[in-house]
């Protein structure tokens, strides 16, 4: 059995945004932070796993590879899975679920592989099977067979990391926090300038931006699956999580929406996130938008787009108004617009260079259109 002295950790990224997450990971001191399809690889021990979950704003989840062995057929998989040192990672009192995938391997039946590993954990360690007979799994083990090598990873996050624990109220098409954070980063946002979202819905962009500016750790309010692992050290975790915050910058954020319900939700979400004091929310239509007093910053918005909410012709008019208002009143501001429709982005009349590749979001492929400072 091969066991690495230090964990091979995969930070799962939204497809297409691996390099953006790699840049964030490097900035937080993770190494080697190498982008691979579907994520970013880092190395480290359990403290790095905890820190990745706590600090990374763009990662979807954090998978820690805890071992690997060769398996040519199911009997061999069964034998080696039974000898695996599960007790170093899993607890006998915590329900576990096993998921498996297989590529280029003699064991091609992923379901059978998952079943063997689950049985080995149950019988050798005594951990109850999750998701059976009404038992909810607290921990998921992922078995990946590739080229007859069986890599065993643990999902250390549990609930996906966009669930920060503050946005309990959402509107029709909310942006995931992880995606919002990566789009803000792609627009060069580093927490030192104001951000305006003129169609803020549940407030994701401005809340995320205010948290970045205030040095609030994205995972500060939630639980993680790693808290249910044998390797967890509650005292070390508490020291990592409960660090003093840097001084608050004198920045203000503005979120607007014409929908009163959206504004109420956004205010409640911002309050729960602890940034309600620094974000002003206004119920107003895009046509009434004026730039806030003070230095320019970033306008970040995902307007409604086709197929989800509203009609295309009406949307063309809406995007036209957005572009007109920004060109007339937001000199010096940069703009980031997330939409699935190139024609709607063009309808703004804003000077967008060719955008980066589309990113899957809510069943559509969305694109981030960016400008430099407006004339
Ligand atoms: C796709 S949603 C934005 C979602 C938001 N980013 C979030 O994370 O919840 C688009 C928002 O634009 C708002 N909207 C549509 N037309 C508007 C207008 N003319 N002026 C202001 N807001 C408008 C809608 O009420 C909706 O909340």
């Amino acid at each position: 059995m091969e066991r690495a002295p230090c964990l091979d950790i995969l930070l799962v990224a939204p497809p297409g945004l691996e390099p953006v997450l790699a840049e964030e990971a490097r900035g937080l001191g993770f190494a080697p932070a190498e982008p691979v399809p579907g994520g970013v690889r880092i190395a480290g021990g359990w403290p790095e796993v905890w820190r990745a979950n706590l600090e990374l704003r763009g990662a979807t989840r954090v998978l820690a590879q805890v071992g690997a062995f060769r398996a040519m057929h199911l009997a061999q998989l069964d034998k080696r899975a039974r000898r695996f040192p599960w007790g170093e990672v899993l607890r006998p009192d915590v329900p576990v679920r096993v998921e498996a995938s297989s590529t280029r391997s003699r064991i091609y039946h992923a379901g059978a592989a998952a079943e063997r590993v689950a049985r080995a954990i149950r019988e050798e360690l005594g951990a109850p099977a999750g998701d059976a007979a009404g038992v909810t799994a607290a921990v998921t083990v992922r078995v990946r067979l590739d080229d007859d090598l069986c890599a065993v990873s643990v999902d250390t996050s549990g609930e996906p990391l966009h669930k920060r624990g503050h946005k309990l109220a959402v509107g029709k098409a909310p942006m995931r926090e992880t995606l919002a954070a990566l789009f803000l980063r792609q627009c060069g946002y580093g927490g030192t300038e104001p951000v305006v979202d003129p169609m803020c819905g549940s407030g994701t962009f401005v809340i995320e931006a205010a948290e970045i500016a205030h040095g609030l750790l994205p995972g500060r309010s939630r639980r993680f699956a790693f808290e249910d692992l044998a390797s967890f050290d509650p005292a070390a975790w508490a020291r990592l999580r409960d660090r003093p915050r840097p001084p608050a910058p004198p920045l203000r954020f503005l979120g607007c929406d014409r929908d009163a319900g959206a504004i109420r939700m956004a205010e409640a979400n911002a309050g729960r996130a602890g940034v309600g004091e620094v974000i002003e929310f206004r119920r107003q239509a895009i046509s009434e938008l004026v730039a806030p007093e003070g230095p320019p910053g970033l306008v970040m918005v995902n307007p409604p787009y086709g197929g989800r909410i509203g009609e295309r012709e009406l949307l063309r008019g809406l995007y036209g108004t957005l572009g007109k208002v920004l060109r007339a009143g937001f000199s010096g501001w940069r703009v980031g617009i997330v939409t699935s429709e190139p024609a709607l982005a063009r309808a703004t009349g804003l000077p967008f260079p060719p955008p980066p590749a589309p990113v899957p979001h809510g069943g559509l492929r969305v694109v981030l259109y960016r400008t430099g400072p407006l004339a």
Side-chain angles (χ1 to χ4, degrees):
M1 184 178 307
E2 301 151 34
R3 296 200 68 236
C6 125
L7 301 164
D8 183 358
I9 303 165
L10 180 70
L11 313 171
V12 178
L17 292 174
E18 295 91 343
V20 189
L21 178 61
E23 184 193 282
E24 184 192 8
R26 278 193 290 273
L28 289 170
F30 293 104
E34 173 203 343
V36 292
V40 174
R41 292 212 169 276
I42 61 166
W46 289 106
E48 278 70 40
V49 168
W50 306 335
R51 196 164 74 78
N53 276 290
L54 176 66
E55 294 185 0
L56 284 162
R57 306 200 81 91
T60 307
R61 59 178 66 253
V62 178
L63 306 179
Q65 188 174 320
V66 291
F69 52 83
R70 295 232 153 256
M72 310 293 184
H73 49 80
L74 281 173
Q76 196 172 47
L77 176 80
D78 190 80
K79 194 164 149 205
R80 295 195 168 165
R82 283 176 186 279
R83 276 205 231 127
F84 195 88
W86 296 111
E88 287 176 17
V89 183
L90 304 177
R91 279 181 14 199
D93 59 324
V94 173
V96 178
R97 175 182 46 218
V98 178
E99 291 174 4
S101 63
S102 173
T103 44
R104 298 181 299 171
S105 296
R106 269 164 267 200
I107 301 174
Y108 54 85
H109 192 323
E115 194 270 323
R116 297 296 165 110
V117 174
R119 199 168 61 198
I121 294 173
R122 208 167 54 238
E123 293 180 0
E124 301 300 319
L125 181 71
D131 293 350
V135 183
T136 306
V139 170
T140 301
V141 166
R142 294 193 180 196
V143 170
R144 205 173 119 247
L145 278 151
D146 187 27
D147 214 2
D148 298 329
L149 184 71
C150 177
V152 181
S153 299
V154 178
D155 175 353
T156 69
S157 305
E159 286 253 71
L161 294 177
H162 76 266
K163 300 203 173 181
R164 312 258 201 249
H166 312 122
K167 198 170 78 177
L168 305 182
V170 294
K172 281 182 208 148
M175 173 82 12
R176 283 199 299 272
E177 286 75 349
T178 41
L179 212 45
L182 292 170
F183 286 149
L184 283 165
R185 173 172 283 274
Q186 277 190 301
C187 287
Y189 185 69
T192 58
E193 54 186 345
V195 173
V196 171
D197 181 347
M199 301 188 213
C200 70
S202 52
T204 317
F205 279 128
V206 275
I207 294 172
E208 204 58 27
E211 287 194 26
I212 294 168
H214 284 253
L216 289 166
L217 301 174
R220 66 194 178 282
S221 310
R222 57 162 277 168
R223 260 196 123 259
F224 298 95
F226 65 68
E227 296 177 49
D228 287 318
L229 298 178
S231 52
F232 184 53
D233 176 344
W237 166 239
R239 279 196 300 278
L240 192 63
R241 190 190 50 194
D242 304 330
R243 280 171 282 168
R245 269 167 52 184
L251 283 177
R252 301 282 306 167
F253 301 84
L254 174 63
C256 308
D257 203 289
R258 69 168 178 199
D259 183 68
I263 292 299
R264 273 197 301 278
M265 281 189 301
E267 278 171 343
N269 293 334
R272 274 187 291 269
V275 289
E277 298 287 300
V278 294
I279 309 177
E280 183 187 346
F281 288 103
R282 279 190 215 148
R283 185 193 166 192
Q284 69 177 27
I286 183 66
S287 49
E288 301 165 75
L289 181 72
V290 286
E293 298 274 309
L298 176 67
V299 176
M300 193 73 207
V301 57
N302 80 303
Y305 30 76
R308 296 197 77 176
I309 341 171
E311 299 290 333
R312 203 160 280 203
E313 268 321 300
L314 287 174
L315 288 177
R316 213 182 281 274
L318 179 65
Y319 279 67
T321 308
L322 171 65
K324 201 166 117 201
V325 165
L326 294 178
R327 284 196 312 276
F330 280 75
S331 168
W333 289 69
R334 305 190 312 289
V335 180
I337 297 183
V338 178
T339 181
S340 64
E341 303 291 329
L344 290 175
R346 277 194 300 276
T348 62
L350 290 168
F352 299 121
V359 176
H361 179 58
L364 292 167
R365 288 164 71 73
V366 296
V367 174
L368 172 64
Y369 293 87
R370 294 170 291 185
T371 72
L374 298 178

